[in-house]
Amino acid sequence: MTRAFHPQKGPFLRALQPGEHFTGFYVLRNKQLEPFRDPSRGHYLTLILSDRSGQLMGRVWENAEETSEQLEIRTVIKVEGDVETYLDRIQANVLRVRPAQPEEYDRRDFLPTTEGDIEEMWNELRGYIERITDPYLKPLVEHFFQDADFIARFQQAPAAVKVHHAYLGGLLKHTLEVLSLCESVLRLYPQLNANLLYTGALLHDLGKVQEFTWEFDITYSDKGRLLGHIVMTDEMVTSALQNFPDFPSELSLRLRHILLSHHGRHEWGSPRRPMTLEAITLHHIENLDAQVNRFQLLLEKRPAGETWTEFDRLLKRYLYGGPEEDLSVEEQGWTE
């Protein structure tokens, strides 16, 4: 069941059923005045409502022109109405509607949001920072992760618009998963510089706090679209290094190379391809986490009862999830 972050949210759109009376808060995605078949009746108002569960069409039959003037697209509105079916589609007969006040809603109810506990994930991430013992790298990491404004955006930010971890809190979750994978890889390859690898994992997506905006849609900022997070991350780190005049130049080069090459290929947005052990390691770890999350998100969107996803244009393939009863040995309770 979808959990609301604000106590006044009201029912999520996906849960509404025909015959139900409801009151709740939703984002107004679009509105349009449309003429009745009888021109003498004037216009009715069509609304497209959304929350993080989906979208629903609503119709205002009375005082449509006046109501339309009061409502702005891409804002939150309070709606009271009845759910009905028209041409085999569910829609809302809107009885009352008004703009919402800021204290009446939580934007996390209108955007996909991590199901993880932000505070718990943040504390776990702080634990990885404590593992960094290098006297130059640790202060650089803390320059960012002790800044209250940066922390607030980092905890909220998505890791992408669509591809992977594309939800509020996604950047924190992705970074934490990359750190966890680094921990496992370091046990296999002790020749890796753990301080450098953990630092690269923590800083590799810093620019995403500026690359995206997430008020009522997850989308790109102008700077994000023009420059991209890899360039912005390097800018942020280079600027921060000005505060550490004794930072070794060789260490700075190795760290910046990790950050600039973590997408692995030029066609994937990396200015450089990985040329060090730590750089190639972080690239594959970061890509592994992104792709597993990407596949999982697509599989979760399968229509009920379907074994295959719809065709994904970016991956150029269907994904197979198997029948719902096809459980893993762990899910079946198998033990050695």
Side-chain angles (χ1 to χ4, degrees):
M1 180 179 295
T2 304
R3 176 177 62 90
F5 287 93
H6 196 286
Q8 294 179 289
K9 164 65 181 74
F12 283 92
L13 294 174
R14 184 174 294 177
L16 293 175
Q17 297 296 323
E20 184 176 350
H21 182 82
F22 72 99
T23 300
F25 290 85
Y26 308 98
V27 175
L28 177 59
R29 292 294 175 187
N30 203 354
K31 64 176 183 176
Q32 183 172 338
L33 286 169
E34 302 185 60
F36 283 102
R37 291 183 180 178
D38 179 357
S40 66
R41 296 182 60 191
H43 295 80
Y44 62 90
L45 179 63
T46 296
L47 307 177
I48 303 298
L49 310 174
S50 77
D51 58 24
R52 76 171 191 264
S53 74
Q55 294 190 353
L56 182 70
M57 180 182 294
R59 294 256 166 74
V60 180
W61 302 109
E62 305 291 338
N63 301 316
E65 289 87 352
E66 179 182 346
T67 302
S68 180
E69 291 178 0
Q70 297 172 354
L71 305 178
E72 294 185 17
I73 294 174
R74 292 173 54 83
T75 62
V76 180
I77 59 177
K78 183 177 183 180
V79 178
E80 179 184 354
D82 295 317
V83 185
E84 57 188 22
T85 301
Y86 179 70
L87 297 179
D88 296 325
R89 295 182 61 184
I90 292 178
Q91 66 178 28
N93 176 19
V94 177
L95 305 175
R96 292 197 298 175
V97 58
R98 66 165 174 81
Q101 299 301 313
E103 68 275 7
E104 292 181 311
Y105 63 87
D106 187 320
R107 73 177 61 185
R108 291 176 294 177
D109 287 325
F110 309 114
L111 288 169
T113 302
T114 179
E115 295 182 1
D117 184 284
I118 294 294
E119 194 62 34
E120 288 182 6
M121 290 193 290
W122 180 251
N123 289 335
E124 190 175 349
L125 182 141
R126 289 292 312 172
Y128 282 104
I129 294 176
E130 294 306 312
R131 299 186 188 192
I132 299 173
T133 58
D134 185 275
Y136 299 103
L137 292 174
K138 188 167 185 177
L140 175 63
V141 170
E142 290 180 335
H143 172 84
F144 296 101
F145 288 93
Q146 289 185 349
D147 179 278
D149 291 338
F150 173 83
I151 291 171
R153 287 190 63 80
F154 188 88
Q155 291 180 338
Q156 294 177 10
V161 171
K162 292 182 179 179
V163 176
H164 72 93
H165 299 85
Y167 43 78
L168 299 188
L171 178 57
L172 173 58
K173 182 173 175 59
H174 171 56
T175 303
L176 189 57
E177 290 170 349
V178 169
L179 287 163
S180 181
L181 289 168
C182 286
E183 181 181 12
S184 298
V185 168
L186 283 165
R187 288 196 293 268
L188 290 172
Y189 303 105
Q191 66 268 39
L192 290 164
N193 184 319
N195 284 301
L196 200 52
L197 187 61
Y198 279 138
T199 300
L202 284 158
L203 303 185
H204 78 282
D205 275 346
L206 289 184
K208 289 185 175 180
V209 302
Q210 299 178 11
E211 183 176 31
F212 305 123
T213 63
W214 53 87
E215 185 174 6
F216 296 119
D217 286 297
I218 296 174
T219 187
Y220 288 94
S221 65
D222 291 342
K223 186 176 181 181
R225 196 177 295 277
L226 290 169
L227 300 181
H229 74 275
I230 293 179
V231 170
M232 289 191 286
T233 295
D234 185 61
E235 286 181 344
M236 293 168 70
V237 171
T238 301
S239 176
L241 286 170
Q242 303 303 313
N243 298 296
F244 305 98
D246 296 328
F247 199 99
S249 59
E250 168 71 10
L251 186 60
S252 172
L253 281 175
R254 291 172 70 88
L255 174 61
R256 291 180 62 201
H257 173 70
I258 290 173
L259 304 178
L260 288 167
S261 66
H262 81 266
H263 274 200
R265 301 182 185 179
H266 300 309
E267 61 267 32
W268 292 350
S270 271
R272 307 300 295 165
R273 299 180 69 184
M275 302 181 202
T276 67
L277 275 176
E278 291 75 25
I280 192 63
T281 301
L282 185 65
H283 159 59
H284 284 295
I285 286 174
E286 196 272 343
N287 190 48
L288 169 65
D289 185 59
Q291 294 305 319
V292 170
N293 182 265
R294 178 183 191 175
F295 273 49
Q296 183 62 37
L297 291 175
L298 289 171
L299 289 168
E300 288 174 355
K301 292 179 180 178
R302 281 179 297 161
E306 294 292 330
T307 58
W308 290 88
T309 68
E310 295 183 358
F311 187 81
D312 186 83
R313 293 184 178 180
L314 291 177
L315 292 173
K316 298 180 180 179
R317 73 195 85 159
Y318 299 92
L319 301 184
Y320 181 69
E324 293 181 1
E325 65 273 13
D326 184 18
L327 302 179
S328 68
V329 290
E330 290 84 1
E331 291 170 318
Q332 293 173 7
W334 180 88
T335 57
E336 291 186 279

